[in-house]
Amino acid sequence: MYQKKLPGDSPVSIIGAGIAGAWHALLFAQAGHAVTVHERSDASMGQSTSHWAGGMLAPWCEAEASEPVIPRLGTRSLDLWRQHFPRTPFRGSLVVAHARDRADFERFAKLTTNYRRVDAPGLGELEPALEGRFREGLFYPDEGHVEPRRVLPELHAAIAKAGGTIAFNSAAEADDLEGIVIDCRGIAARDAQSELRGVKGEMIVIETAEVDLSRPVRLIHPRFPLYVIPRGDGRFMLGATSIESEATFVSVRSALELLGAAYAVHPAFGEARIVELGSGLRPAFPDNLPRISIEQDHIAVNGLYRHGFLLAPALAELTLGYIARGVIDNEVMQCA
Ligand SMILES: Cc1cc2nc3c(=O)[nH]c(=O)nc-3n(C[C@H](O)[C@H](O)[C@H](O)COP(=O)(O)OP(=O)(O)OC[C@H]3O[C@@H](n4cnc5c(N)ncnc54)[C@H](O)[C@@H]3O)c2cc1C
């Protein structure tokens, strides 16, 4: 459906410099709009969910538990990450399981695509640290990952380079802003979108020189996807729980499960130093799908749930397509 509604060169105010707001700001600034981003945090982005994320760009693995719109937008996002940040690592993802979780492993394989099975020697070739640890794995060669705490500042710098302005320590109200307003406040937007809920995700960062991995490794687990993501300099992020709670502490049970998963991937993780424990609230609508809500010159982009890094580039491109050419994507856009 095509519907020209808004001028393509208006100034744009974006609220929130998390992954959704940052990608919107970048694409709008590059398209020639005068962009101002208001962010209540300082540049460390400590008040954003994005600060806590794993940063996996894994549309094929995520298809296991997602509607088709997630891989559709996710694969488009991979192109945009490659185009705008050519140094983004695309070394693939590995999925492994212990013998007792074999049925879940096969189920994961059935529900996903774009992988190849690797046997034990093949696993050892991809990740020498895993040699002899698992009988087989699934290798998704086209998936990537970013480190949120590195890529957010890179995005913010790219916005400035494209002529946009980011005001940190600047809490904003949509009604006080001129021009097109894009609300990317994540879970804080619940005052305007009452259906939003927070889904707690807990993570732990550990450090060891004993294990070397070059790509995210997912361990099949009956309750939630557990993964180990290499962060460089001997650091690894262990994530992530998925709990219907808006409490922000890390529970003993979650810490046990995350640390246990790392130990199961490689016993040398047992000697690692715990660097950080933390949690973020994933902003989610009841269907766990992203939404671009359009009400005249006020657009809200939210519900990125556990796919913010995977989806933000494609969502920003859709919002820009709407402003520039009136293009509506019926799967994610709602017009009032
Ligand atoms: C443990 C964990 C692991 C995850 N792993 C992955 C992963 O591997 N891959 C993936 O794709 N996704 C992952 N996610 C999901 C991802 O983190 C979220 O989908 C994403 O961060 C949501 O981004 P957002 O920009 O919508 O919200 P946020 O990142 O929360 O950004 C919203 C911003 O708005 C600001 N703000 C709020 N109110 C105001 C105001 N009034 N004025 C100004 N600023 C305001 C906030 O300070 C915040 O910075 C993970 C999440 C968690 C918790």
Side-chain angles (χ1 to χ4, degrees):
M1 194 198 315
Y2 295 88
Q3 194 179 21
K4 179 85 180 151
K5 280 199 169 175
L6 290 163
D9 55 357
S10 308
V12 174
S13 297
I14 294 173
I15 315 180
I19 195 65
W23 265 100
H24 276 77
L26 179 62
L27 295 195
F28 275 82
Q30 288 181 341
H33 290 266
V35 170
T36 307
V37 186
H38 296 272
E39 168 54 51
R40 66 181 177 182
S41 294
D42 61 22
S44 72
M45 295 299 293
Q47 294 184 71
S48 69
T49 302
S50 301
H51 182 74
W52 300 104
M56 287 183 297
L57 309 176
W60 293 283
C61 281
E62 290 298 321
E64 181 248 345
S66 306
E67 297 292 322
V69 66
I70 303 299
R72 172 172 77 86
L73 296 179
T75 47
R76 175 62 192 147
S77 285
L78 298 196
D79 295 339
L80 293 167
W81 277 109
R82 280 201 178 90
Q83 186 184 325
H84 291 265
F85 295 92
R87 286 184 303 149
T88 303
F90 281 94
R91 292 194 279 269
S93 316
L94 263 178
V95 174
V96 293
H98 287 292
R100 66 174 179 273
D101 295 320
R102 176 88 207 163
D104 289 303
F105 177 84
E106 289 303 333
R107 184 181 167 277
F108 195 100
K110 275 204 186 88
L111 292 172
T112 59
T113 57
N114 204 31
Y115 62 82
R116 64 181 157 86
R117 283 180 188 261
V118 280
D119 57 10
L123 265 177
E125 270 167 40
L126 283 167
E127 293 290 356
L130 298 186
E131 193 169 349
R133 298 223 31 83
F134 299 93
R135 274 206 312 224
E136 66 173 331
L138 306 173
F139 178 48
Y140 298 76
D142 299 326
E143 296 192 333
H145 68 284
V146 291
E147 180 170 350
R149 295 178 196 182
R150 281 194 195 169
V151 87
L152 280 173
E154 284 180 28
L155 267 161
H156 295 161
I159 293 162
K161 198 171 163 205
T165 303
I166 307 184
F168 290 106
N169 301 304
S170 169
E173 294 269 349
D175 291 344
D176 298 338
L177 302 172
E178 302 284 326
I180 298 167
V181 176
I182 307 180
D183 180 343
C184 296
R185 287 180 294 150
I187 193 63
R190 203 166 16 196
D191 56 356
Q193 296 183 287
S194 59
E195 284 182 303
L196 274 176
R197 73 187 198 287
V199 180
K200 177 158 89 158
E202 296 148 293
M203 54 80 90
I204 300 179
V205 179
I206 59 174
E207 185 178 86
T208 177
E210 301 300 314
V211 186
D212 192 19
L213 295 175
S214 44
R215 53 182 63 78
V217 176
R218 292 182 185 233
L219 181 68
I220 296 288
H221 181 280
R223 287 209 307 126
F224 38 72
L226 288 168
Y227 48 78
V228 180
I229 306 178
R231 289 288 196 230
D233 300 330
R235 292 198 170 187
F236 299 85
M237 176 189 158
L238 316 177
T241 58
S242 188
I243 299 174
E244 292 292 337
S245 161
E246 296 197 357
T248 52
F249 63 88
V250 178
S251 73
V252 169
R253 178 180 181 171
S254 296
L256 286 169
E257 285 184 339
L258 292 172
L259 293 169
Y263 188 69
V265 169
H266 200 297
F269 281 129
E271 302 304 320
R273 181 170 80 89
I274 296 176
V275 177
E276 181 182 5
L277 296 93
S279 77
L281 292 181
R282 304 177 182 95
F285 289 114
D287 57 7
N288 291 338
L289 295 177
R291 202 179 285 174
I292 299 174
S293 312
I294 301 166
E295 202 176 332
Q296 295 174 0
D297 58 358
H298 186 148
I299 298 174
V301 182
N302 217 316
L304 278 64
Y305 183 45
R306 61 180 219 212
H307 303 121
F309 286 77
L310 178 62
L311 300 183
L315 291 173
E317 187 178 58
L318 289 180
T319 309
L320 181 62
Y322 169 74
I323 295 295
R325 301 184 306 281
V327 181
I328 302 221
D329 183 300
N330 287 314
E331 261 190 308
V332 290
M333 287 181 172
Q334 284 187 359
C335 300

